[in-house]
Amino acid sequence: MGPPQVQEVLAVMTTPQAVRRASPRTRRKATTPAAPDPSAGLLPRTEPVRLLNPDGTALPACDDYPEPPVEALREMYRRMVVGRRFDVQATALTKQGRLAVYPSSRGQEACQVGGVLALRDTDWVFPTYRESMALTGRGIDPVEVLTLLRGDWHCGYDAAAMHTAPQCTPLATQCVHAAGLAYGESYQGRDTVALAFIGDGATSEGDFHEGVNFAAVFKAPVVYFVQNNKYAISVPLSRQTAAPSLAYKGVGYGVPSEQVDGNDPVAVLAVLTRAVEHARSGKGPFLVEAHTYRMEPHTNADDQTRYRDAEEVEAWRDRDPVARLEAYLRARGVLDDAAVAVIAEEAEAYAAALRDRMNAQPTVDPLSLFEHVYAEPTPQLVEQREQVRAELAAARDEEADA
Ligand SMILES: Cc1ncc(C[n+]2csc(CCOP(=O)(O)OP(=O)(O)O)c2C)c(N)n1
Ligand SMILES: [Mg+2]
């Protein structure tokens, strides 16, 4: 006898007797415990972590994210106030022609400062063009931070000494650099963590996905810190992603993620502290999405009125991170008028010194542009350098004759 045909098998399986025979089995199957959810521990909370209300009053404590020590919060407040004053000064410098371009991070102070405050000095930061405040908050000389934005060809600070990569203008490339550095450090037995700042728009770039994937597979200690400020220049988040939130992008790579209210300084520092600990303890990368808002145009060259309403911007003024932290610290009795005045004075002095130093005309040798491109310059570079040299000499002669 040959093997039963498919139709015959189906006919036997669907007789009433066969269905009755199968039913106890089906019942047993229904009571079998479900397999563990492989995404458990990877998905973010459905709501951003928040420890303070917008008016600075405290919300109930959160077991997963203990509140940072009050001294750290006071220091955070100080750096946020000085950082905001720096930001205002840098914006003014663009209007005076002292700075070519400046992307403000006003409104994002909690993220800028919280990001670097959660790190050790030996950890590495991989910033974008918007992170000037984070870098000054890390203690880098503000003039050196602004060197690139002034139009110079190089990063003004010593990246290796400051454990801070040059500010990245090509979107998301720093995500790959951070993964490589972090992997290299752990490979050599050091417990360095790399923190890569990235914007909401840049999460659509391939480098973001490649960086996160590499870090996940090789357990590189990186914290990917997305500042979702709702816009990529004029492109709103709704045209950027269909994901429930950007933090959900981690699960696809096996990377645990969290979302946080990016205008709540206490929550930002608490979440980042845990993310950094996770990375340092050898568990691989962690993705944090902070919900925040850019209060100023994309840069001084942008006209924000073409793509967003003034009412929208105004609504975010009520969630100001600096006022929020100040109200909280005052209510806890660890900040008073006198302390606020001292910090405000420090911020003024910081801005005045920056203004004075930026008023000095930098002397840049145009021929230095050709150095450091290749160890040995190519024939084309040699030719171009000679061309510039000749043009400069001709201009000098013309000036002397005039
Ligand atoms: C690879 C690449 N593509 C395009 C640009 C042009 N560009 C500069 S900033 C920007 C928007 C980025 O938005 P987002 O990542 O949200 O950061 P934000 O500026 O809001 O901090 C774009 C498209 C670029 N710098 N690099
Ligand atoms: Mg953005």
Side-chain angles (χ1 to χ4, degrees), residues 19-35:
V19 170
R20 261 202 306 280
R21 269 202 312 276
S23 57
R25 245 167 135 200
T26 319
R27 274 206 300 279
R28 268 207 308 279
K29 210 172 174 189
T31 56
T32 309

Side-chain angles (χ1 to χ4, degrees), residues 238-382:
S238 58
R239 304 297 291 167
Q240 196 69 248
T241 182
S245 103
L246 297 170
Y248 282 81
K249 291 185 184 271
V251 66
Y253 298 105
V255 173
S257 326
E258 190 55 278
Q259 42 178 340
V260 61
D261 179 337
N263 284 26
D264 174 349
V266 180
V268 168
L269 188 56
V271 169
L272 279 167
T273 300
R274 209 188 116 190
V276 169
E277 277 168 13
H278 171 97
R280 203 184 306 285
S281 66
K283 294 184 191 141
F286 198 100
L287 172 67
V288 177
E289 176 193 17
H291 297 269
T292 183
Y293 195 79
R294 155 169 70 70
M295 297 300 290
E296 295 291 319
H298 173 70
T299 67
N300 50 301
D302 173 41
D303 177 5
Q304 59 176 337
T305 62
R306 296 181 62 182
Y307 58 88
R308 65 183 189 182
D309 298 333
E311 296 84 65
E312 181 183 299
V313 183
E314 277 314 304
W316 277 88
R317 236 174 263 292
D318 295 339
R319 304 180 214 175
D320 183 64
V322 180
R324 199 165 176 175
L325 185 56
E326 182 175 327
Y328 176 67
L329 293 175
R330 278 180 184 270
R332 281 202 55 185
V334 293
L335 192 73
D336 57 14
D337 287 347
V340 168
V342 167
I343 294 170
E345 236 172 74
E346 180 193 341
E348 277 312 314
Y350 189 91
L354 173 63
R355 206 167 41 233
D356 289 348
R357 291 175 66 204
M358 291 293 283
N359 276 337
Q361 198 66 31
T363 47
V364 181
D365 177 5
L367 292 175
S368 67
L369 187 65
F370 297 94
E371 289 166 18
H372 314 300
V373 181
Y374 294 99
E376 293 296 329
T378 61
Q380 288 84 359
L381 270 187
V382 172

Side-chain angles (χ1 to χ4, degrees), residues 32-50:
T32 309
D37 178 358
S39 67
L42 298 180
L43 286 170
R45 284 157 193 252
T46 50
E47 288 295 319
V49 176
R50 183 172 295 140

Side-chain angles (χ1 to χ4, degrees), residues 42-318:
L42 298 180
L43 286 170
R45 284 157 193 252
T46 50
E47 288 295 319
V49 176
R50 183 172 295 140
L51 299 174
L52 295 186
N53 284 309
D55 64 1
T57 50
L59 285 160
C62 174
D63 287 347
D64 288 342
Y65 298 105
E67 188 180 312
V70 77
E71 271 318 306
L73 295 175
R74 268 180 59 116
E75 177 59 12
M76 188 170 188
Y77 173 75
R78 189 186 73 78
R79 292 196 206 183
M80 285 167 65
V81 170
V82 176
R84 174 168 291 187
R85 187 62 189 88
F86 160 82
D87 192 81
V88 169
Q89 189 58 55
T91 302
L93 287 167
T94 62
K95 295 179 180 154
Q96 294 157 5
R98 293 289 177 201
L99 207 53
V101 66
Y102 183 69
S104 165
S105 53
R106 190 183 179 92
Q108 300 178 215
E109 290 85 352
C111 299
Q112 295 277 312
V113 173
V116 294
L117 206 55
L119 299 173
R120 296 178 184 163
D121 287 349
T122 45
D123 291 332
W124 270 76
V125 171
F126 287 81
T128 79
Y129 48 86
R130 198 170 298 288
E131 268 68 68
S132 298
M133 197 193 288
L135 303 193
T136 56
R138 209 176 188 212
I140 303 179
D141 180 332
V143 173
E144 293 182 1
V145 169
L146 295 177
T147 300
L148 191 66
L149 298 168
R150 203 176 199 180
D152 210 324
W153 53 265
H154 72 94
C155 158
Y157 49 88
D158 181 339
M162 303 314 295
H163 290 94
T164 305
Q167 286 179 275
C168 234
T169 300
L171 298 178
T173 48
Q174 75 280 5
C175 295
V176 186
H177 305 158
L181 179 124
Y183 178 63
E185 287 287 289
S186 65
Y187 190 74
Q188 293 173 80
R190 290 190 282 270
D191 66 352
T192 312
V193 171
L195 184 138
F197 283 97
I198 179 167
D200 45 295
T203 62
S204 299
E205 289 284 341
D207 278 354
F208 167 70
H209 300 272
E210 290 167 29
V212 174
N213 191 53
F214 180 97
V217 170
F218 292 96
K219 285 210 176 324
V222 190
V223 174
Y224 288 102
F225 184 27
V226 183
Q227 288 174 92
N228 172 3
N229 63 9
K230 311 294 177 283
Y231 288 92
I233 312 185
S234 58
V235 178
L237 189 70
S238 58
R239 304 297 291 167
Q240 196 69 248
T241 182
S245 103
L246 297 170
Y248 282 81
K249 291 185 184 271
V251 66
Y253 298 105
V255 173
S257 326
E258 190 55 278
Q259 42 178 340
V260 61
D261 179 337
N263 284 26
D264 174 349
V266 180
V268 168
L269 188 56
V271 169
L272 279 167
T273 300
R274 209 188 116 190
V276 169
E277 277 168 13
H278 171 97
R280 203 184 306 285
S281 66
K283 294 184 191 141
F286 198 100
L287 172 67
V288 177
E289 176 193 17
H291 297 269
T292 183
Y293 195 79
R294 155 169 70 70
M295 297 300 290
E296 295 291 319
H298 173 70
T299 67
N300 50 301
D302 173 41
D303 177 5
Q304 59 176 337
T305 62
R306 296 181 62 182
Y307 58 88
R308 65 183 189 182
D309 298 333
E311 296 84 65
E312 181 183 299
V313 183
E314 277 314 304
W316 277 88
R317 236 174 263 292
D318 295 339

